[in-house]
């Protein structure tokens, strides 16, 4: 009999400090919920931070693909569900569903993670223990496919940021949400005020550290029914760190 992936859920109340001028939850807030859910499930299954640290392991995020159909508002309560979808070599695919207070599905997300050995900073195969606790076997182990992000052709907006201490996470590198926050700072004000982000994709290529300066370059592509913003983040040496794409309607 094939295993059934373990599904974990948690409720989140939308606080004042997590919304924009329209009282909608910020996409950054939602990404934080998703990241929190991944760690929360791992902790409840006994393979959280302490387990990973003791075994010189860490999960590193590789790709996001997040779609929001309807944004929750200030003081709303949402439910976020997550489960490990599949494992292949050192890759792990995780899925999420987001529901409003009435049980309506208002968003979903796919993510791809890489398991690394923290001492060698190199990928390692997902362990048998991981397969067992997350409820994954090879009978239905089909990887998620998140399409690659096209590189920008021109620069319509550009900003630089210095990595702060508060940007660093438990893995001692920049928290993945910060890259999305930096990219959003380069989107023209007219789009921020008058459009709503429906999808964001992120591909993490190389990490950056405390004290470094990064630069975000953004291209704005206006189509008939949507606006596409593509972003490239590089470090001081011009090394590509992250690619992002956001779609606004």
């Amino acid at each position: 009999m094939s295993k059934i992936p373990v599904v974990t859920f948690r409720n989140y109340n939308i606080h004042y400090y997590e919304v924009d001028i329209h009282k909608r939850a910020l996409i950054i807030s939602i990404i934080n919920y998703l990241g929190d859910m991944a760690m929360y499930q791992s902790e409840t299954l006994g393979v959280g931070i302490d387990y990973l640290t003791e075994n010189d392991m860490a999960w590193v995020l590789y790709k996001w693909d997040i779609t929001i159909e309807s944004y929750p508002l200030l003081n709303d309560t949402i439910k976020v569900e997550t489960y490990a979808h599949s494992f292949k070599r050192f890759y792990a695919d995780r899925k999420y569903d987001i529901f409003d207070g009435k049980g309506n599905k208002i968003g979903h997300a796919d993510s791809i993670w890489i398991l690394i050995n923290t001492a060698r900073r190199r990928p390692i195969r997902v362990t048998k223990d991981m397969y067992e606790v997350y409820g994954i076997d090879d009978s239905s182990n089909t990887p998620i496919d998140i399409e690659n992000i096209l590189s920008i052709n021109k620069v319509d907006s550009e900003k630089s940021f210095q990595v702060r201490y508060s940007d660093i996470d438990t893995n001692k590198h920049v928290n993945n949400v910060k890259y999305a926050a930096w990219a959003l700072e380069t989107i023209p004000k007219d789009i921020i005020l008058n459009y709503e982000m429906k999808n964001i994709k992120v591909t993490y290529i190389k990490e950056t550290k405390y004290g470094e300066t990064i630069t975000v370059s953004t291209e704005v592509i206006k189509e008939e029914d949507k606006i596409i913003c593509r972003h490239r983040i590089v470090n001081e040496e011009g090394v590509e760190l992250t690619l992002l794409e956001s779609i606004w309607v």
Side-chain angles (χ1 to χ4, degrees):
M1 181 181 295
S2 63
K3 294 186 177 69
I4 300 175
V6 178
V7 178
T8 303
F9 73 88
R10 202 175 197 179
N11 293 328
Y12 293 89
N13 181 253
I14 311 303
H15 299 97
Y16 179 73
Y17 54 82
E18 296 172 315
V19 301
D20 62 14
I21 63 171
H22 304 292
K23 299 195 296 184
R24 294 186 306 234
L26 293 160
I27 188 65
I28 299 305
S29 301
I30 292 173
I31 299 174
N32 272 318
Y33 301 154
L34 301 181
D36 182 64
M37 277 304 305
M39 185 52 64
Y40 175 68
Q41 184 185 56
S42 297
E43 291 287 342
T44 60
L45 295 177
V47 287
I49 294 175
D50 290 344
Y51 173 87
L52 294 170
T53 302
E54 291 166 4
N55 289 277
D56 295 324
M57 296 188 295
W59 288 109
V60 176
L61 187 58
Y62 175 41
K63 286 186 176 184
W64 273 128
D65 183 0
I66 303 167
T67 298
I68 304 297
E69 301 294 346
S70 175
Y71 280 83
L73 302 176
L74 175 64
N75 293 325
D76 283 353
T77 297
I78 62 172
K79 182 173 78 171
V80 181
E81 289 186 352
T82 189
Y83 62 94
H85 175 267
S86 57
F87 294 147
K88 184 176 182 181
R89 295 187 299 164
F90 43 79
Y91 291 105
D93 301 331
R94 176 177 287 279
K95 284 182 171 286
Y96 303 82
D97 288 312
I98 305 170
F99 302 90
D100 66 16
K102 297 180 179 178
N104 302 308
K105 187 174 175 179
I106 60 172
H108 58 89
D110 292 339
S111 60
I112 302 175
W113 304 70
I114 297 173
L115 186 64
I116 67 165
N117 176 279
T118 52
R120 295 183 293 126
R121 305 302 293 178
R122 298 180 67 85
I124 56 174
R125 284 187 175 272
V126 178
T127 64
K128 291 183 178 179
D129 288 346
M130 296 287 189
Y131 275 81
E132 187 67 30
V133 297
Y134 288 110
I136 301 295
D137 62 23
D138 290 325
S139 64
S140 57
N141 199 17
T142 305
I144 293 173
D145 181 26
I146 299 178
E147 62 187 21
N148 293 326
I149 299 170
L150 298 176
S151 186
I152 66 175
N153 293 312
K154 61 184 176 70
V155 177
D156 294 312
S157 176
E158 193 169 72
K159 285 186 181 181
S160 294
F161 302 89
Q162 188 171 49
V163 178
R164 304 166 302 175
Y165 177 75
S166 60
D167 297 330
I168 307 302
D169 64 15
T170 57
N171 291 328
K172 298 183 176 64
H173 60 69
V174 174
N175 183 281
N176 68 83
V177 182
K178 302 299 181 180
Y179 296 89
W182 291 332
L184 291 175
E185 290 293 331
T186 66
I187 294 174
K189 184 178 178 181
D190 172 67
I191 298 175
I192 294 291
L193 294 179
N194 299 304
Y195 290 77
E196 190 174 89
M197 183 194 293
K198 288 300 183 183
N199 177 265
I200 184 169
K201 294 182 178 68
V202 189
T203 299
Y204 300 95
I205 302 165
K206 189 175 176 62
E207 66 187 29
T208 189
K209 298 178 181 178
Y210 172 57
E212 295 184 347
T213 299
I214 61 91
T215 299
V216 184
S217 303
T218 294
E219 177 183 13
V220 179
I221 303 164
K222 294 186 176 180
E223 299 187 351
E224 185 175 343
D225 59 343
K226 63 186 176 183
I227 294 177
I228 301 171
C229 294
R230 294 199 179 110
H231 319 269
R232 180 180 65 220
I233 301 179
V234 301
N235 64 14
E236 298 169 33
E237 288 74 43
V239 175
E240 203 165 69
L241 305 175
T242 308
L243 295 175
L244 306 93
E245 179 185 271
S246 53
I247 297 176
W248 303 72
V249 299

